[in-house]
Structure formats: C-alpha cells, structure tokens
Amino acid sequence: MTRRSFLAGSAALGGCASVRSDFGGSGRDPAALRIAQIADPQFGWDYNRRRERVKGPDGTYYGYDLRTLEERIIPSVNDWSPDVVLLSGDMTHDVNRMAEDWPRLLREFKAPIVCTPGNHDIWPVSSSAVDSYRGVFGVERSSYRARGFRLVGANSQVWWRKAAPKEMREDHERWLTAELDAAVAAGETPILATHVPPFVEKLDEPDGYENLPLEWRRDIVEGVYAKGVRFWLCGHLHRLLVRSYRD
C-alpha cells in the first residue's frame, strides 16, 4: 500500500492484517503492526433464515455465533499473536444481550483490545446508551500505540444518520483531533478505525445506511487525511471492501 492509499471500508469477521511502518508490505516483519480485526459478529441475527447455517447447541442463532467466535475465531486470533485486536462493532444483534457473554469473551483475548461501537451497540444514540456500552467494553473511544503507529478507535455513531446530540458529536471530534495531533507530535503514523465507513464507492455518493452523512463526510475525511491518516479500518458492511481516496 502506497503512502497515498486510503482504506475507506473494510469488514471482516476474524480478519487479520499487518501494516509495515514504511507502508511497503505485510507479513511477519518485526516492524509491522499486527492488527486482528473482528467486525459485526452480531450474535443472534437471523438473516434470510441463515440459509444452510445451523443453530447452536442451545437451539438459537445466538448460540451458533457465540460458539463460532469462542471455539474458532478467538483461538485463531490468539495463535496469530497480533499486537492489538480491533473489535469493529455490532457485537450482538440485540443490544439488550450485549452484556450476556462479551465481558467473559473479552478476557479470552491475549492481546490488547480497541473497540469501536456500531449501530447495534449504541442506538438510539444517547448518553445512557453510551454508558451501557461502556459498562461492557469499558470505553467507546480509545487508542493503542505500538511500533511507530497509533490505532485510534473512534465512535462513528456520533455522525451516523445525524442521530447524536450536537454536544456529543462536538466532544468526540475534539477528542479525535487531540489524538491525531498527539500522534503527529510523537512522530507516529495514525490509523483510524470506526464501525461505519465514510463512503462505500466514492466520497460524494448520496447519504445511505452504509456511509457517513454527506453534509459532514468531506470535512471528516479531508480533516483526518490532513493529519496523516492513510488507513481507515471499518466494519458495518458485512463484506470485504477496499477503497482509495486521493490515489
């Protein structure tokens, strides 16, 4: 990936990626920041009757998803020995079930964790919904520093569908600006992570379920780009997608 590349949307369950400090490649280079990304596990979502998928031992799709993560994905992530695990949101389909298993699952990861809440984690957007998320995952915004990088996990719910209170959005934007400025001052390469991607196909595409509001989108993207962000890792899309900004 070149220095002018910009990862605008990526979604995967149990995906792993390495980023080298010189942007020249990937793999097990000791200079690489190793990120294991898990996006949209969404325990309990019965989409299209799951086609050929089976239910879990408890007879529910929630049980199937829980078993898949606990028996297959978490062990694989731990075996890969990432520097950091990125949980990219939508942890359960029903927000009321978020506290059932995730406090225990978080302890099963061996690496530090950065969380970015999704629309199934904080919705409707309110201070009480944020507090509920914090009760399970600790914080709704955080950063992790290693190998000359700073992974900044932001809360895209403050922008998505313009649903958040203005003061919440402005507070979050001040925090994000401060994190990116701190990365620059420290000589670090910032990597941004959110649940919702800024855009899916192009920067000026119409507003929709899968992107950030057009009214704010260009300012957000150009603002973080100006502060050195060249990688933006997302969830939400339920598919792997790579887009570039300013090729």
Side-chain angles (χ1 to χ4, degrees), residues 202-214:
K202 56 184 180 179
L203 184 61
D204 60 350
E205 68 193 19
D207 283 346
Y209 181 85
E210 294 186 331
N211 56 26
L212 297 182
L214 181 59

Side-chain angles (χ1 to χ4, degrees), residues 41-46 62 65 90-100 102 119-123:
Q42 209 160 323
F43 292 176
W45 182 33
D46 180 12
Y62 182 101
D65 297 332
D90 282 3
M91 310 313 290
T92 57
H93 188 64
D94 180 355
V95 67
N96 296 311
R97 302 194 69 177
M98 192 164 55
E100 287 185 23
W102 273 107
N119 51 292
H120 284 272
D121 306 321
I122 297 178
W123 189 263

Side-chain angles (χ1 to χ4, degrees), residues 82-127:
D83 292 296
V84 60
V85 174
L86 173 61
L87 300 181
S88 293
D90 282 3
M91 310 313 290
T92 57
H93 188 64
D94 180 355
V95 67
N96 296 311
R97 302 194 69 177
M98 192 164 55
E100 287 185 23
D101 291 286
W102 273 107
R104 172 179 57 82
L105 294 172
L106 293 173
R107 295 192 295 269
E108 295 185 14
F109 290 102
K110 296 179 180 179
I113 298 172
V114 170
C115 301
T116 62
N119 51 292
H120 284 272
D121 306 321
I122 297 178
W123 189 263
V125 184
S126 65
S127 296

Side-chain angles (χ1 to χ4, degrees), residues 162-177:
K162 301 181 182 179
K166 180 181 179 182
E167 60 273 17
M168 182 184 294
R169 172 171 58 85
E170 291 178 343
D171 175 72
H172 189 272
E173 289 172 347
R174 286 191 293 270
W175 171 85
L176 178 57
T177 297

Side-chain angles (χ1 to χ4, degrees), residues 28-243:
R28 296 185 176 270
D29 190 307
L33 177 68
R34 296 161 63 84
I35 302 170
Q37 182 184 17
I38 298 175
D40 302 271
Q42 209 160 323
F43 292 176
W45 182 33
D46 180 12
Y47 60 93
N48 296 330
R49 298 184 181 275
R50 291 290 176 99
R51 300 183 179 90
E52 300 300 320
R53 296 180 70 180
V54 297
K55 296 181 180 180
D58 63 347
T60 70
Y61 295 113
Y62 182 101
Y64 175 90
D65 297 332
L66 174 63
R67 185 176 65 179
T68 298
L69 189 89
E70 192 161 27
E71 296 182 2
R72 294 173 53 194
I73 295 175
I74 292 178
S76 295
V77 167
N78 287 338
D79 287 346
W80 192 63
S81 299
D83 292 296
V84 60
V85 174
L86 173 61
L87 300 181
S88 293
D90 282 3
M91 310 313 290
T92 57
H93 188 64
D94 180 355
V95 67
N96 296 311
R97 302 194 69 177
M98 192 164 55
E100 287 185 23
D101 291 286
W102 273 107
R104 172 179 57 82
L105 294 172
L106 293 173
R107 295 192 295 269
E108 295 185 14
F109 290 102
K110 296 179 180 179
I113 298 172
V114 170
C115 301
T116 62
N119 51 292
H120 284 272
D121 306 321
I122 297 178
W123 189 263
V125 184
S126 65
S127 296
S128 60
V130 172
D131 288 342
S132 294
Y133 182 85
R134 289 173 177 167
V136 177
F137 295 98
V139 290
E140 82 285 5
R141 60 192 191 192
S142 63
S143 63
Y144 176 77
R145 305 168 64 190
R147 304 179 191 272
F149 292 91
R150 184 180 297 226
L151 176 63
V152 180
N155 176 14
S156 56
Q157 289 301 99
V158 303
W159 298 309
W160 191 62
R161 294 197 162 187
K162 301 181 182 179
K166 180 181 179 182
E167 60 273 17
M168 182 184 294
R169 172 171 58 85
E170 291 178 343
D171 175 72
H172 189 272
E173 289 172 347
R174 286 191 293 270
W175 171 85
L176 178 57
T177 297
E179 280 289 334
L180 297 180
D181 284 344
V184 172
E188 299 166 336
T189 297
I191 301 171
L192 183 59
T194 60
H195 177 69
V196 179
F199 59 88
V200 178
E201 297 297 336
K202 56 184 180 179
L203 184 61
D204 60 350
E205 68 193 19
D207 283 346
Y209 181 85
E210 294 186 331
N211 56 26
L212 297 182
L214 181 59
E215 179 182 350
W216 303 329
R217 189 186 308 150
R218 182 175 295 275
D219 287 344
I220 295 169
V221 170
E222 292 187 349
V224 300
Y225 186 91
K227 293 185 179 295
V229 172
R230 297 297 181 269
F231 297 90
W232 188 331
L233 303 175
C234 308
H236 193 55
L237 302 182
H238 293 233
R239 61 189 185 275
L240 183 63
L241 182 69
V242 178
R243 290 292 181 262

